[in-house]
Structure formats: structure tokens, C-alpha cells
Amino acid sequence: ANKITFLEYSVEYKILISGGDNGSLVFFNVTNYQIIKIIENAHFNSIYSLKILKNGLLASSSSSQTINFWNLTTLNLVRTIN
């Protein structure tokens, strides 16, 4: 079972993002409490941190020593840094 390892909230985008120990990201709409998108294997290992940046990106880091940047409008991966 997936365990939540980190949560981040965006007032601007009205979304709550959870990171899991299985490397997944889940985006929730906080207005209607519905899941917007699930990204399985967003990372290969457990997600350690999430941070919303001022440029409209979400940074996620994992125990695999990678940082992924996600566009908060499209919820797509923009870049990976190893």
C-alpha cells in the first residue's frame, strides 16, 4: 500500500499534492475534493519533499537523488535534474 510521505498546498492553483513512498504524485482539487491526476512512477523511489515554486512549477525530490519539475497548469513533467 502506498503511504503518503509529503504534502504541499497551492492557494493560487487550489490544489493539494501528495507524494508517496512508491514514487507517485496525486493532485487533489481542494474545492470539490476530487482527484485531478495521479502520476504513478513520478519518481523511482519514495518522494521526500514537494515545493511549489513562484514560477508555477512544483519541485519534487526523491530518495533516488533526482529532482523533477512539474508544470502546475498542465501537471506534466518539465525537467529532471540528477
Side-chain angles (χ1 to χ4, degrees):
N2 181 35
K3 294 180 182 151
I4 294 172
T5 55
F6 208 91
L7 289 173
E8 179 70 318
Y9 174 67
S10 169
V11 173
E12 181 180 351
Y13 292 91
K14 295 182 175 59
I15 58 174
L16 178 70
I17 306 121
S18 70
D21 67 352
N22 66 350
S24 67
L25 289 173
V26 181
F27 296 83
F28 299 91
N29 179 323
V30 296
T31 305
N32 61 14
Y33 304 104
Q34 299 295 313
I35 293 174
I36 301 168
K37 186 173 185 177
I38 298 172
I39 302 173
E40 295 182 16
N41 302 317
H43 286 274
F44 294 116
N45 295 323
S46 181
I47 293 175
Y48 280 172
S49 66
L50 301 170
K51 179 68 178 171
I52 292 173
L53 308 175
K54 292 183 180 180
N55 60 358
L57 296 178
L58 169 74
S60 61
S61 68
S62 75
S63 59
S64 61
Q65 300 180 340
T66 59
I67 301 171
N68 287 344
F69 295 92
W70 307 87
N71 181 305
L72 285 174
T73 302
T74 65
L75 304 181
N76 291 326
L77 181 64
V78 175
R79 183 170 183 192
T80 299
I81 297 175
N82 294 316

Coordinates of all heavy atoms in Angstrom, one line a residue:
A1 N 0.8 -1.2 0.0 CA 0.0 0.0 0.0 C 0.9 1.2 0.0 O 1.9 1.3 0.7 CB -0.9 0.0 1.2
N2 N 0.4 2.2 -0.7 CA 1.2 3.5 -0.8 C 0.9 4.3 0.5 O -0.2 4.5 0.9 CB 0.7 4.3 -2.0 CG 1.4 5.6 -2.2 OD1 2.6 5.7 -1.9 ND2 0.7 6.6 -2.6
K3 N 2.0 4.8 1.0 CA 1.9 5.7 2.2 C 2.3 7.1 1.7 O 3.3 7.3 1.0 CB 2.9 5.2 3.3 CG 2.4 3.9 3.9 CD 3.4 3.5 5.0 CE 2.9 2.1 5.4 NZ 4.0 1.3 5.9
I4 N 1.6 8.1 2.2 CA 1.9 9.5 1.9 C 3.1 9.9 2.7 O 3.2 9.7 3.9 CB 0.7 10.4 2.2 CG1 -0.5 10.1 1.3 CG2 1.1 11.9 2.1 CD1 -1.7 10.8 1.7
T5 N 4.1 10.5 2.0 CA 5.3 10.9 2.6 C 5.5 12.4 2.7 O 6.2 12.9 3.5 CB 6.6 10.3 1.9 OG1 6.5 10.7 0.5 CG2 6.6 8.8 2.0
F6 N 4.7 13.1 1.9 CA 4.8 14.6 1.9 C 3.5 15.2 1.3 O 3.0 14.6 0.4 CB 6.0 15.0 1.1 CG 6.6 16.3 1.6 CD1 7.6 16.4 2.5 CD2 6.1 17.5 1.1 CE1 8.1 17.6 2.9 CE2 6.7 18.8 1.5 CZ 7.7 18.8 2.4
L7 N 3.2 16.4 1.8 CA 2.0 17.1 1.3 C 2.5 18.6 1.0 O 3.3 19.1 1.7 CB 0.9 17.2 2.3 CG 0.1 15.9 2.5 CD1 -0.9 16.2 3.7 CD2 -0.7 15.5 1.3
E8 N 1.9 19.1 -0.1 CA 2.1 20.5 -0.4 C 0.8 21.1 -0.9 O 0.0 20.4 -1.6 CB 3.2 20.7 -1.5 CG 3.5 22.1 -1.9 CD 4.2 22.9 -0.9 OE1 3.8 22.9 0.3 OE2 5.1 23.7 -1.2
Y9 N 0.5 22.4 -0.6 CA -0.7 23.0 -1.0 C -0.5 24.3 -1.7 O 0.4 25.1 -1.4 CB -1.5 23.3 0.3 CG -2.8 24.1 0.0 CD1 -3.8 23.6 -0.7 CD2 -2.9 25.4 0.5 CE1 -5.0 24.3 -0.9 CE2 -4.0 26.2 0.2 CZ -5.1 25.6 -0.5 OH -6.2 26.3 -0.7
S10 N -1.2 24.5 -2.8 CA -1.1 25.8 -3.5 C -2.5 26.5 -3.4 O -3.5 26.1 -3.9 CB -0.9 25.5 -5.0 OG -1.0 26.7 -5.8
V11 N -2.4 27.7 -2.8 CA -3.5 28.6 -2.7 C -3.9 29.1 -4.1 O -5.1 29.1 -4.5 CB -3.2 29.8 -1.8 CG1 -4.4 30.8 -1.8 CG2 -3.0 29.3 -0.4
E12 N -2.9 29.5 -4.9 CA -3.2 30.0 -6.2 C -3.9 29.0 -7.2 O -4.8 29.3 -7.9 CB -1.9 30.4 -6.9 CG -2.0 31.0 -8.3 CD -0.7 31.5 -8.9 OE1 0.3 31.4 -8.2 OE2 -0.7 31.8 -10.1
Y13 N -3.4 27.7 -7.2 CA -4.0 26.7 -8.1 C -5.1 25.9 -7.4 O -5.7 25.1 -8.0 CB -2.9 25.8 -8.6 CG -1.9 26.5 -9.5 CD1 -0.8 27.1 -9.0 CD2 -2.2 26.6 -10.9 CE1 0.1 27.8 -9.9 CE2 -1.3 27.2 -11.7 CZ -0.2 27.8 -11.2 OH 0.7 28.5 -12.1
K14 N -5.3 26.1 -6.1 CA -6.3 25.4 -5.3 C -6.2 23.9 -5.4 O -7.2 23.2 -5.6 CB -7.7 25.9 -5.7 CG -8.0 27.3 -5.5 CD -9.4 27.7 -5.8 CE -9.8 29.1 -5.4 NZ -9.0 30.1 -6.0
I15 N -4.9 23.5 -5.3 CA -4.7 22.0 -5.3 C -3.8 21.6 -4.1 O -3.0 22.4 -3.6 CB -4.0 21.6 -6.6 CG1 -2.7 22.3 -6.9 CG2 -4.9 21.7 -7.8 CD1 -1.9 21.8 -8.0
L16 N -4.0 20.4 -3.7 CA -3.2 19.7 -2.7 C -2.5 18.6 -3.4 O -3.1 17.9 -4.2 CB -4.1 19.2 -1.6 CG -3.4 18.4 -0.5 CD1 -2.6 19.4 0.4 CD2 -4.4 17.7 0.4
I17 N -1.2 18.5 -3.2 CA -0.4 17.5 -3.8 C 0.2 16.6 -2.8 O 0.7 17.0 -1.8 CB 0.7 18.1 -4.7 CG1 0.2 19.1 -5.6 CG2 1.5 17.0 -5.4 CD1 0.8 20.5 -5.5
S18 N 0.0 15.3 -3.0 CA 0.6 14.3 -2.1 C 1.7 13.5 -2.8 O 1.6 13.2 -4.0 CB -0.4 13.3 -1.5 OG -0.9 12.4 -2.5
G19 N 2.8 13.3 -2.1 CA 3.9 12.4 -2.6 C 3.9 11.1 -1.8 O 3.6 11.1 -0.6
G20 N 4.1 10.0 -2.5 CA 4.1 8.7 -1.8 C 5.4 8.0 -1.7 O 6.3 8.3 -2.4
D21 N 5.4 7.0 -0.9 CA 6.6 6.2 -0.7 C 6.8 5.2 -1.9 O 7.9 4.6 -2.0 CB 6.5 5.4 0.6 CG 5.5 4.3 0.6 OD1 4.6 4.2 -0.3 OD2 5.5 3.5 1.6
N22 N 5.8 5.2 -2.8 CA 6.0 4.4 -4.0 C 6.4 5.3 -5.2 O 6.4 4.8 -6.4 CB 4.7 3.6 -4.4 CG 3.6 4.5 -4.7 OD1 3.6 5.7 -4.6 ND2 2.5 3.9 -5.2
G23 N 6.7 6.5 -5.0 CA 7.1 7.4 -6.0 C 6.0 8.1 -6.8 O 6.3 8.8 -7.8
S24 N 4.8 8.0 -6.3 CA 3.6 8.6 -7.0 C 3.3 10.0 -6.5 O 3.6 10.3 -5.4 CB 2.4 7.7 -6.9 OG 2.0 7.7 -5.6
L25 N 2.7 10.8 -7.4 CA 2.1 12.1 -7.0 C 0.6 12.0 -7.3 O 0.2 11.5 -8.3 CB 2.7 13.2 -7.9 CG 4.2 13.6 -7.7 CD1 4.6 14.6 -8.8 CD2 4.4 14.2 -6.3
V26 N -0.1 12.6 -6.4 CA -1.6 12.7 -6.5 C -2.0 14.2 -6.3 O -1.6 14.8 -5.3 CB -2.3 11.8 -5.5 CG1 -3.8 11.9 -5.8 CG2 -1.9 10.4 -5.6
F27 N -2.7 14.7 -7.3 CA -3.1 16.1 -7.3 C -4.6 16.1 -7.0 O -5.4 15.5 -7.7 CB -2.9 16.7 -8.7 CG -1.4 16.8 -9.0 CD1 -0.8 15.8 -9.6 CD2 -0.7 18.0 -8.8 CE1 0.6 15.8 -10.0 CE2 0.6 18.1 -9.1 CZ 1.3 17.0 -9.7
F28 N -5.0 16.8 -5.9 CA -6.4 16.9 -5.5 C -6.9 18.4 -5.7 O -6.2 19.3 -5.4 CB -6.5 16.6 -4.0 CG -6.1 15.3 -3.6 CD1 -4.8 15.0 -3.2 CD2 -7.0 14.2 -3.6 CE1 -4.4 13.7 -2.8 CE2 -6.6 12.9 -3.2 CZ -5.3 12.7 -2.8
N29 N -8.1 18.5 -6.1 CA -8.8 19.8 -6.2 C -9.4 20.0 -4.8 O -10.2 19.2 -4.3 CB -10.0 19.7 -7.3 CG -10.7 21.0 -7.4 OD1 -11.0 21.7 -6.4 ND2 -11.1 21.3 -8.6
V30 N -9.0 21.1 -4.1 CA -9.5 21.3 -2.8 C -10.9 22.0 -2.7 O -11.5 22.1 -1.7 CB -8.5 22.1 -1.9 CG1 -7.2 21.4 -1.8 CG2 -8.2 23.5 -2.6
T31 N -11.4 22.4 -3.9 CA -12.7 23.0 -3.9 C -13.8 21.9 -3.9 O -14.8 22.0 -3.1 CB -12.9 23.8 -5.2 OG1 -11.9 24.8 -5.3 CG2 -14.2 24.5 -5.2
N32 N -13.6 20.8 -4.6 CA -14.6 19.7 -4.6 C -14.0 18.4 -4.1 O -14.7 17.4 -4.2 CB -15.1 19.5 -6.0 CG -14.1 19.1 -7.0 OD1 -13.0 18.7 -6.7 ND2 -14.4 19.2 -8.3
Y33 N -12.8 18.4 -3.6 CA -12.2 17.2 -3.0 C -12.0 16.0 -4.0 O -12.0 14.8 -3.6 CB -12.9 16.7 -1.7 CG -13.0 17.9 -0.7 CD1 -14.2 18.6 -0.5 CD2 -11.9 18.2 0.0 CE1 -14.2 19.6 0.4 CE2 -11.9 19.3 0.9 CZ -13.1 20.0 1.1 OH -13.2 21.0 2.0
Q34 N -11.9 16.3 -5.3 CA -11.8 15.3 -6.3 C -10.3 15.1 -6.7 O -9.5 16.1 -6.6 CB -12.6 15.6 -7.5 CG -14.1 15.7 -7.3 CD -14.7 14.3 -6.9 OE1 -14.4 13.3 -7.5 NE2 -15.5 14.4 -5.8
I35 N -9.9 13.9 -7.1 CA -8.6 13.7 -7.6 C -8.5 14.3 -9.0 O -9.4 13.9 -9.9 CB -8.2 12.2 -7.6 CG1 -8.1 11.7 -6.2 CG2 -6.9 12.0 -8.4 CD1 -7.8 10.2 -6.1
I36 N -7.5 15.1 -9.3 CA -7.4 15.7 -10.6 C -6.5 14.8 -11.5 O -6.9 14.5 -12.6 CB -6.7 17.1 -10.5 CG1 -7.5 18.0 -9.7 CG2 -6.4 17.6 -11.9 CD1 -6.8 19.3 -9.3
K37 N -5.4 14.3 -10.9 CA -4.5 13.5 -11.7 C -3.6 12.6 -10.7 O -3.2 13.1 -9.7 CB -3.6 14.3 -12.6 CG -2.7 13.6 -13.5 CD -2.0 14.5 -14.5 CE -1.2 13.7 -15.5 NZ -0.5 14.6 -16.5
I38 N -3.3 11.4 -11.1 CA -2.4 10.6 -10.4 C -1.2 10.3 -11.4 O -1.5 9.9 -12.5 CB -3.0 9.2 -10.0 CG1 -4.2 9.5 -9.0 CG2 -2.0 8.3 -9.3 CD1 -5.0 8.3 -8.7
I39 N 0.0 10.6 -10.9 CA 1.2 10.2 -11.7 C 1.9 9.1 -11.0 O 2.6 9.4 -10.0 CB 2.1 11.5 -11.9 CG1 1.3 12.6 -12.6 CG2 3.3 11.1 -12.7 CD1 2.0 13.9 -12.7
E40 N 1.7 7.9 -11.5 CA 2.4 6.8 -10.9 C 3.9 6.8 -11.4 O 4.1 7.2 -12.6 CB 1.7 5.5 -11.3 CG 0.4 5.3 -10.7 CD -0.3 4.0 -11.0 OE1 0.4 3.1 -11.4 OE2 -1.5 4.0 -10.8
N41 N 4.8 6.4 -10.6 CA 6.2 6.4 -11.0 C 6.7 7.8 -11.4 O 7.5 8.0 -12.3 CB 6.5 5.5 -12.2 CG 6.1 4.0 -11.8 OD1 6.4 3.6 -10.7 ND2 5.4 3.4 -12.7
A42 N 6.2 8.8 -10.7 CA 6.7 10.2 -10.8 C 8.2 10.2 -10.5 O 9.0 10.9 -11.0 CB 6.0 11.2 -10.0
H43 N 8.6 9.3 -9.5 CA 9.9 9.0 -9.1 C 10.1 7.5 -9.0 O 9.1 6.8 -8.8 CB 10.3 9.7 -7.8 CG 10.5 11.2 -7.9 ND1 11.7 11.7 -8.3 CD2 9.7 12.2 -7.7 CE1 11.6 13.0 -8.3 NE2 10.4 13.3 -8.0
F44 N 11.3 7.0 -9.1 CA 11.5 5.6 -8.9 C 11.5 5.1 -7.5 O 11.2 3.9 -7.2 CB 12.9 5.2 -9.6 CG 12.9 5.3 -11.0 CD1 13.8 6.2 -11.6 CD2 12.0 4.6 -11.9 CE1 13.8 6.4 -13.0 CE2 12.1 4.8 -13.2 CZ 12.9 5.7 -13.8
N45 N 11.7 6.0 -6.6 CA 11.7 5.7 -5.1 C 10.8 6.7 -4.4 O 10.1 7.6 -5.0 CB 13.1 5.8 -4.6 CG 14.0 4.7 -5.2 OD1 13.6 3.6 -5.4 ND2 15.3 5.1 -5.4
S46 N 10.8 6.6 -3.1 CA 10.0 7.4 -2.2 C 10.2 8.9 -2.4 O 11.3 9.3 -2.5 CB 10.3 7.0 -0.7 OG 9.5 7.7 0.1
I47 N 9.1 9.6 -2.4 CA 9.2 11.1 -2.6 C 9.5 11.7 -1.2 O 8.8 11.4 -0.2 CB 7.9 11.7 -3.2 CG1 7.8 11.2 -4.6 CG2 7.9 13.2 -3.1 CD1 6.6 11.6 -5.3
Y48 N 10.5 12.5 -1.1 CA 10.9 13.1 0.2 C 10.4 14.5 0.4 O 10.2 14.9 1.5 CB 12.5 13.1 0.3 CG 13.1 11.8 0.7 CD1 14.4 11.6 0.7 CD2 12.3 10.7 1.1 CE1 15.0 10.4 1.0 CE2 12.9 9.5 1.5 CZ 14.2 9.3 1.5 OH 14.8 8.2 1.9
S49 N 10.3 15.2 -0.7 CA 9.8 16.6 -0.5 C 9.1 17.1 -1.7 O 9.3 16.7 -2.9 CB 11.0 17.5 -0.1 OG 11.9 17.6 -1.2
L50 N 8.2 18.1 -1.5 CA 7.5 18.8 -2.6 C 7.6 20.3 -2.2 O 7.4 20.7 -1.1 CB 6.0 18.4 -2.6 CG 5.7 16.9 -2.9 CD1 4.2 16.6 -2.7 CD2 6.1 16.5 -4.3
K51 N 7.7 21.1 -3.2 CA 7.8 22.5 -3.0 C 7.2 23.2 -4.2 O 7.7 23.0 -5.4 CB 9.2 23.0 -2.8 CG 9.4 24.5 -2.6 CD 8.8 24.9 -1.3 CE 9.0 26.4 -1.0 NZ 8.3 26.9 0.1
I52 N 6.2 24.1 -4.0 CA 5.7 24.9 -5.1 C 6.6 26.2 -5.3 O 6.8 26.9 -4.3 CB 4.2 25.3 -4.8 CG1 3.4 24.0 -4.9 CG2 3.7 26.3 -5.8 CD1 2.0 24.2 -4.4
L53 N 7.0 26.4 -6.5 CA 7.9 27.5 -6.8 C 7.1 28.7 -7.3 O 6.0 28.5 -7.8 CB 8.9 27.1 -7.8 CG 9.7 25.8 -7.4 CD1 10.6 25.4 -8.6 CD2 10.5 26.0 -6.1
K54 N 7.6 29.9 -7.3 CA 6.9 31.1 -7.7 C 6.7 31.1 -9.2 O 5.8 31.9 -9.7 CB 7.6 32.3 -7.2 CG 7.6 32.5 -5.7 CD 8.2 33.7 -5.2 CE 8.2 33.8 -3.7 NZ 8.8 35.0 -3.2
N55 N 7.4 30.3 -10.0 CA 7.2 30.3 -11.4 C 6.2 29.4 -11.9 O 6.1 29.1 -13.1 CB 8.6 30.1 -12.1 CG 9.1 28.7 -11.7 OD1 8.6 28.0 -11.0 ND2 10.3 28.4 -12.3
G56 N 5.3 28.8 -11.0 CA 4.3 28.0 -11.5 C 4.7 26.5 -11.6 O 4.0 25.7 -12.3
L57 N 5.8 26.2 -11.0 CA 6.3 24.8 -11.1 C 6.2 24.1 -9.7 O 6.3 24.8 -8.7 CB 7.7 24.7 -11.6 CG 8.0 25.2 -13.0 CD1 9.5 25.1 -13.4 CD2 7.2 24.4 -14.0
L58 N 6.1 22.8 -9.7 CA 6.2 22.0 -8.5 C 7.5 21.3 -8.6 O 7.8 20.6 -9.6 CB 5.1 21.0 -8.4 CG 5.2 20.0 -7.3 CD1 5.0 20.6 -5.9 CD2 4.3 18.8 -7.5
A59 N 8.4 21.4 -7.6 CA 9.6 20.6 -7.5 C 9.3 19.4 -6.6 O 8.8 19.6 -5.5 CB 10.8 21.4 -7.0
S60 N 9.7 18.2 -7.0 CA 9.6 17.0 -6.2 C 11.0 16.3 -6.2 O 11.7 16.3 -7.2 CB 8.5 16.1 -6.8 OG 8.9 15.6 -8.1
S61 N 11.3 15.8 -5.0 CA 12.6 15.2 -4.8 C 12.4 13.8 -4.2 O 11.4 13.6 -3.5 CB 13.6 16.0 -4.0 OG 13.1 16.0 -2.6
S62 N 13.3 12.9 -4.5 CA 13.1 11.5 -4.0 C 14.4 10.9 -3.5 O 15.5 11.5 -3.7 CB 12.6 10.6 -5.2 OG 13.6 10.4 -6.1
S63 N 14.3 9.7 -3.0 CA 15.5 9.0 -2.4 C 16.4 8.6 -3.6 O 17.5 8.1 -3.3 CB 15.0 7.9 -1.6 OG 14.2 7.0 -2.3
S64 N 15.9 8.6 -4.8 CA 16.8 8.3 -6.0 C 17.7 9.5 -6.4 O 18.3 9.4 -7.4 CB 15.9 7.8 -7.1 OG 15.1 8.9 -7.6
Q65 N 17.7 10.5 -5.5 CA 18.5 11.7 -5.7 C 18.2 12.4 -7.0 O 19.1 12.9 -7.7 CB 20.0 11.3 -5.7 CG 20.4 10.7 -4.3 CD 21.8 10.4 -4.2 OE1 22.5 10.2 -5.2 NE2 22.3 10.3 -3.0
T66 N 16.9 12.5 -7.4 CA 16.5 13.3 -8.5 C 15.5 14.4 -8.1 O 14.9 14.2 -7.1 CB 15.8 12.4 -9.6 OG1 14.7 11.8 -9.0 CG2 16.7 11.4 -10.2
I67 N 15.5 15.4 -8.8 CA 14.5 16.5 -8.6 C 13.8 16.6 -9.9 O 14.4 16.8 -11.0 CB 15.2 17.8 -8.3 CG1 16.0 17.7 -7.0 CG2 14.1 18.9 -8.1 CD1 16.8 18.9 -6.7
N68 N 12.4 16.5 -9.9 CA 11.6 16.7 -11.0 C 10.8 18.0 -10.9 O 10.4 18.4 -9.8 CB 10.6 15.5 -11.2 CG 11.2 14.2 -11.6 OD1 12.3 14.2 -12.1 ND2 10.5 13.2 -11.5
F69 N 10.6 18.7 -12.0 CA 9.9 19.9 -12.1 C 8.6 19.7 -12.9 O 8.7 19.2 -14.0 CB 10.7 21.0 -12.7 CG 11.9 21.4 -11.8 CD1 13.1 20.8 -12.0 CD2 11.8 22.3 -10.8 CE1 14.2 21.1 -11.2 CE2 12.9 22.6 -10.0 CZ 14.1 22.0 -10.2
W70 N 7.5 20.0 -12.3 CA 6.1 19.7 -12.9 C 5.4 21.1 -13.1 O 5.4 21.9 -12.2 CB 5.3 18.9 -12.0 CG 6.0 17.6 -11.5 CD1 6.8 17.5 -10.5 CD2 5.9 16.4 -12.2 NE1 7.3 16.2 -10.4 CE2 6.7 15.5 -11.5 CE3 5.2 15.9 -13.3 CZ2 6.9 14.1 -11.8 CZ3 5.4 14.6 -13.7 CH2 6.2 13.7 -13.0
N71 N 4.8 21.2 -14.3 CA 4.0 22.4 -14.6 C 2.7 22.3 -13.9 O 2.0 21.3 -14.1 CB 3.8 22.5 -16.1 CG 3.1 23.7 -16.5 OD1 2.0 23.9 -16.1 ND2 3.6 24.5 -17.4
L72 N 2.3 23.3 -13.0 CA 1.1 23.2 -12.3 C -0.1 23.5 -13.1 O -1.2 23.2 -12.6 CB 1.2 24.1 -11.0 CG 2.1 23.6 -9.9 CD1 2.2 24.7 -8.9 CD2 1.6 22.3 -9.3
T73 N 0.0 24.0 -14.3 CA -1.2 24.2 -15.1 C -1.5 22.9 -15.9 O -2.6 22.5 -15.9 CB -0.9 25.3 -16.1 OG1 -0.6 26.5 -15.4 CG2 -2.1 25.6 -17.0
T74 N -0.4 22.3 -16.5 CA -0.7 21.1 -17.3 C -0.5 19.8 -16.5 O -0.9 18.7 -16.9 CB 0.3 21.1 -18.5 OG1 1.7 20.9 -18.0 CG2 0.2 22.3 -19.4
L75 N 0.2 19.9 -15.3 CA 0.6 18.8 -14.5 C 1.5 17.8 -15.2 O 1.5 16.6 -14.9 CB -0.7 18.1 -13.9 CG -1.6 18.9 -13.1 CD1 -2.8 18.1 -12.6 CD2 -0.9 19.7 -12.0
N76 N 2.3 18.3 -16.2 CA 3.2 17.5 -16.9 C 4.6 17.8 -16.4 O 5.0 18.8 -15.9 CB 3.1 17.8 -18.4 CG 1.8 17.3 -19.0 OD1 1.3 16.3 -18.6 ND2 1.3 18.0 -20.0
L77 N 5.5 16.8 -16.6 CA 6.9 16.9 -16.3 C 7.6 17.8 -17.2 O 7.4 17.7 -18.4 CB 7.6 15.5 -16.3 CG 9.1 15.4 -16.0 CD1 9.3 15.8 -14.5 CD2 9.6 14.0 -16.3
V78 N 8.4 18.8 -16.6 CA 9.1 19.8 -17.4 C 10.5 19.4 -17.5 O 11.1 19.5 -18.6 CB 8.9 21.2 -16.8 CG1 9.7 22.2 -17.5 CG2 7.4 21.6 -16.7
R79 N 11.1 19.0 -16.4 CA 12.6 18.7 -16.4 C 12.9 17.9 -15.2 O 12.3 17.9 -14.2 CB 13.3 20.1 -16.3 CG 14.8 19.9 -16.4 CD 15.5 21.2 -16.5 NE 16.9 21.0 -16.6 CZ 17.9 21.9 -16.5 NH1 17.5 23.1 -16.3 NH2 19.1 21.5 -16.6
T80 N 14.0 17.1 -15.4 CA 14.6 16.3 -14.3 C 16.0 16.6 -14.1 O 16.7 16.8 -15.1 CB 14.5 14.8 -14.7 OG1 13.1 14.4 -14.8 CG2 15.1 13.9 -13.6
I81 N 16.4 16.8 -12.9 CA 17.8 17.0 -12.6 C 18.3 15.8 -11.7 O 17.7 15.5 -10.7 CB 18.0 18.3 -11.8 CG1 17.6 19.5 -12.6 CG2 19.5 18.5 -11.3 CD1 17.6 20.8 -11.8
N82 N 19.4 15.2 -12.2 CA 20.0 14.1 -11.4 C 21.2 14.6 -10.6 O 21.9 15.4 -11.0 CB 20.5 13.0 -12.4 CG 19.3 12.4 -13.1 OD1 18.3 12.1 -12.5 ND2 19.4 12.2 -14.4

